[in-house]
Amino acid sequence: MTQRLVVVLGFLLLCAAQPAAAQEETPPQVRVIVDVSGSMRDNDPDQLAADALELLVTLLPSGTQAGVWTFGEGVSNPLPLGSVDANWRERAMALTPRLEGRDPFTDIEAAVRETVAPEASGEQHLVLLTDGMIDLPPWRGDKPAIDDASRRELLDELAPRLARSEVTVHAIAFSDEADLSLVERLSQQTGGLSAPVRTPEALMGAFLDIVDRIFPSDRAPLRDGGFVIEPGLEGFSALLFRDPSEPPAVLVGPDGRRYTGESPPESARWRHEERYDLIQVPDPEPGQWRLEGEVGRESRVTLVSPLTLQTAPLPGTLYLGFGVPVEAWLSRHGEVLPEEEWPDHLSMSAELRDAEGDIQAATELGARGQRFIGELPAPALTGTAQLAVRADGRGFRRQRVQAVNVQPAVTVEHDVQGGRVVLRAEHPALHHGNTRLHAELQGQRLEAQALDDQRWEINLPVLDESLTQPLMLRGQITLEGRARELRLPRLLLFPEGDTGVDVAEVRPDLAVERFHEAPDPASPSSADTGPDGVARFIALLDRLPQLAQGHWETWQPVLTRWVQAHGRDPRFWAGLMGVVILVVMMRAWRQRRRRARADYREEPHV
């Protein structure tokens, strides 16, 4: 990480996060755990772990309780827990040369266990920097059995205890060879964030998300190239990302004045770099500010104000099929703002955007007393996302944004050697007492048997491994006295097989499609025996209802999200009508062609 990125991000956080941190009754503790094993030397050749420590040290607000631990075969604490100040930062930066991978083994379980302080009050956030591969010394026992046992102990025993003790683990993986499942599940179970990081830019994004999670702050929403500054703000900091080929953005004040890096607002600081601009404006003029030029989606305007938007704790992991309760309110100097002091026409909403910035789910929050309450609809797609809570009023716009991971409520793994499928409940509320699972394979129903409280297995019949076929998974759950269907991903068995079952027709008389066979030169050509290109297209259209039925569970979330994003665009409906007209015309052409062929009849011959 270059020094200028460290300076920029530290500057941004010091402007924005200190007021939020000051509102905490018991400030959270941040415990940084750095992998110094030999595998990190191979898997992190660019020394991103050292850059990460420098970045995080700079980002931490002054007064935060923080410390640094390192681990390989054993665990060390070169920088004990202490209050972050200039001296603490200097000592932390001096640790960089000691982060080169030297230890021959990697004991992640011991590192996490020994870093936690059971007696600590308040939240503890562990920031784990690793390549995510458990590798214990052979003198402890047979390998890989001891590695597997340590992994199970970490995920099945230690992680749940950490979650109950308000300990959150945020994990950063530095390698394609990392055990990403370990990193993701450890973070997921403790309510933290996880991310694979391979470039300085990805590292910056990951740490911005983690810092936002630990020290939430208010932002002014960027809408239509602008943002609103209400009266009474102490200042704002704008971090504006852009493509290196694009010129810097121009900042336009409410009075129409245009500001650039060469002519910034009075008393403002404007730092210009290759990929972004950072602008700090103290005591800004209230009103609508505008940005001229290309501004990246990761850009943000962070506010410093005694009036803040607050939310009840938001989960770090969301689950397919489960809505998200949301509660929000306005606060001044830590006290809930009474209704009579609200901005005029105040409303609040919540939305979930995926990694591409498209809306997955959205809802309006209803006012109840001095707070706004609602439920965000269940997310439709897995992956990383941004959960934003917004407040809008006359001359007033605020938002809180938190990075989240969206996961299936139940994950599925095909155990080929064991001839079974193993299902695991990832949602903490699901267990064998309230969840019933089964599968459908070639029209046959296969029941799931409980292995333990949150795992099931489905024994498969003897299958041909050269045949690719779908296993349709179904589930029913009962929560809070209400029974409902559980949406599960479809599992494709033997996806590398040479032959595939047509998933649109899962019946006993299964259609079979050959993927890797070249056509027989001696066989009649498609020009002689089959429809031409247009007719083949019409035949495909005829099959669309059947295909849609077979793929509905996969397509429905994508179509829903697409309609939500474009449903108000008249071009969307005009295009859809054009497609319908085209289909009708082509079907009519095909029927006329069939009638013409029927008029010509050839006598049978030998």
Side-chain angles (χ1 to χ4, degrees), residues 522-560:
S523 64
S525 69
S526 59
D528 298 330
T529 61
D532 58 19
V534 175
R536 284 197 299 271
F537 177 69
I538 295 295
L540 175 62
L541 293 177
D542 288 340
R543 292 188 62 209
L544 278 181
Q546 186 181 42
L547 291 172
Q549 182 179 4
H551 289 276
W552 179 244
E553 291 190 358
T554 303
W555 292 354
Q556 186 266 341
V558 178
L559 294 175
T560 301

Side-chain angles (χ1 to χ4, degrees), residues 471-491:
L471 183 70
M472 312 304 293
L473 298 167
R474 301 286 186 266
Q476 298 82 36
I477 60 173
T478 303
L479 289 176
E480 299 177 351
R482 184 168 64 95
R484 60 188 178 94
E485 294 293 316
L486 179 64
R487 183 169 157 243
L488 295 173
R490 184 189 60 183
L491 179 64

Side-chain angles (χ1 to χ4, degrees), residues 266-306:
E266 184 179 357
S267 302
R269 298 178 63 183
W270 190 309
R271 187 182 183 94
H272 170 67
E273 297 294 346
E274 182 182 12
R275 295 180 178 273
Y276 54 82
D277 285 82
L278 177 67
I279 313 163
Q280 183 197 22
V281 181
D283 193 23
E285 180 182 356
Q288 178 75 38
W289 291 68
R290 292 187 297 108
L291 296 169
E292 294 182 355
E294 294 295 327
V295 177
R297 189 161 45 84
E298 295 297 326
S299 300
R300 57 191 68 192
V301 177
T302 312
L303 306 177
V304 181
S305 171

Side-chain angles (χ1 to χ4, degrees), residues 349-369:
S349 61
E351 69 179 27
L352 185 70
R353 290 183 178 268
D354 61 23
E356 302 302 320
D358 297 326
I359 296 177
Q360 276 203 38
T363 189
E364 294 290 329
L365 307 182
R368 295 185 186 176

Side-chain angles (χ1 to χ4, degrees), residues 36-57:
V36 294
S37 64
S39 61
M40 280 290 287
R41 182 173 52 203
D42 297 330
N43 293 328
D44 182 27
D46 297 328
Q47 290 286 294
L48 286 177
D51 294 338
L53 178 61
E54 291 184 6
L55 175 57
L56 189 60
V57 165

Side-chain angles (χ1 to χ4, degrees), residues 226-554:
F227 55 94
V228 172
I229 296 297
E230 76 265 13
L233 281 183
E234 298 173 5
F236 71 80
S237 297
L239 179 59
L240 308 177
F241 293 96
R242 68 176 187 282
D243 189 274
S245 62
E246 297 290 339
V250 175
L251 185 63
V252 182
D255 58 0
R257 292 187 185 181
R258 295 163 56 85
Y259 302 106
T260 64
E262 291 71 30
S263 57
E266 184 179 357
S267 302
R269 298 178 63 183
W270 190 309
R271 187 182 183 94
H272 170 67
E273 297 294 346
E274 182 182 12
R275 295 180 178 273
Y276 54 82
D277 285 82
L278 177 67
I279 313 163
Q280 183 197 22
V281 181
D283 193 23
E285 180 182 356
Q288 178 75 38
W289 291 68
R290 292 187 297 108
L291 296 169
E292 294 182 355
E294 294 295 327
V295 177
R297 189 161 45 84
E298 295 297 326
S299 300
R300 57 191 68 192
V301 177
T302 312
L303 306 177
V304 181
S305 171
L307 179 63
T308 59
L309 172 63
Q310 299 289 321
T311 66
L314 297 171
T317 301
L318 312 184
Y319 299 93
L320 296 182
F322 289 83
V324 184
V326 180
E327 182 177 351
W329 63 94
L330 296 181
S331 173
R332 180 179 283 123
H333 298 297
E335 299 293 332
V336 178
L337 194 69
E339 186 174 353
E340 57 270 17
E341 298 182 27
W342 288 356
D344 292 340
H345 308 295
L346 179 66
S347 64
M348 294 196 187
S349 61
E351 69 179 27
L352 185 70
R353 290 183 178 268
D354 61 23
E356 302 302 320
D358 297 326
I359 296 177
Q360 276 203 38
T363 189
E364 294 290 329
L365 307 182
R368 295 185 186 176
Q370 297 179 332
R371 305 196 176 202
F372 288 77
I373 298 174
E375 181 171 295
L376 188 69
L381 301 174
T382 60
T384 58
Q386 296 282 334
L387 175 57
V389 178
R390 304 180 187 273
D392 289 273
R394 180 176 295 174
F396 178 87
R397 289 181 182 174
R398 295 287 182 90
Q399 70 176 4
R400 284 283 176 104
V401 181
Q402 176 181 305
V404 295
N405 297 316
V406 182
Q407 303 285 347
V410 176
T411 54
V412 186
E413 180 182 358
H414 182 195
D415 178 7
V416 178
Q417 298 297 324
R420 63 176 186 167
V421 168
V422 178
L423 302 97
R424 179 189 299 274
E426 302 294 348
H427 193 291
L430 300 185
H431 52 80
H432 72 83
N434 61 13
T435 305
R436 296 290 179 268
L437 304 173
H438 71 274
E440 294 176 6
L441 179 66
Q442 301 180 12
Q444 179 183 2
R445 181 184 174 105
L446 305 174
E447 297 292 342
Q449 305 297 325
L451 290 173
D452 53 40
D453 198 41
Q454 291 192 300
R455 290 195 309 148
W456 297 260
E457 69 173 359
I458 297 176
N459 292 313
L460 300 174
V462 177
L463 299 173
D464 182 355
E465 296 188 12
S466 66
L467 180 66
T468 299
Q469 53 188 307
L471 183 70
M472 312 304 293
L473 298 167
R474 301 286 186 266
Q476 298 82 36
I477 60 173
T478 303
L479 289 176
E480 299 177 351
R482 184 168 64 95
R484 60 188 178 94
E485 294 293 316
L486 179 64
R487 183 169 157 243
L488 295 173
R490 184 189 60 183
L491 179 64
L492 203 59
L493 302 176
F494 308 113
E496 302 300 326
D498 293 332
T499 305
V501 173
D502 186 350
V503 298
E505 300 184 42
V506 183
R507 302 192 308 260
D509 55 332
L510 292 169
V512 175
E513 178 183 348
R514 300 283 180 182
F515 289 117
H516 302 297
E517 291 185 2
D520 184 355
S523 64
S525 69
S526 59
D528 298 330
T529 61
D532 58 19
V534 175
R536 284 197 299 271
F537 177 69
I538 295 295
L540 175 62
L541 293 177
D542 288 340
R543 292 188 62 209
L544 278 181
Q546 186 181 42
L547 291 172
Q549 182 179 4
H551 289 276
W552 179 244
E553 291 190 358
T554 303

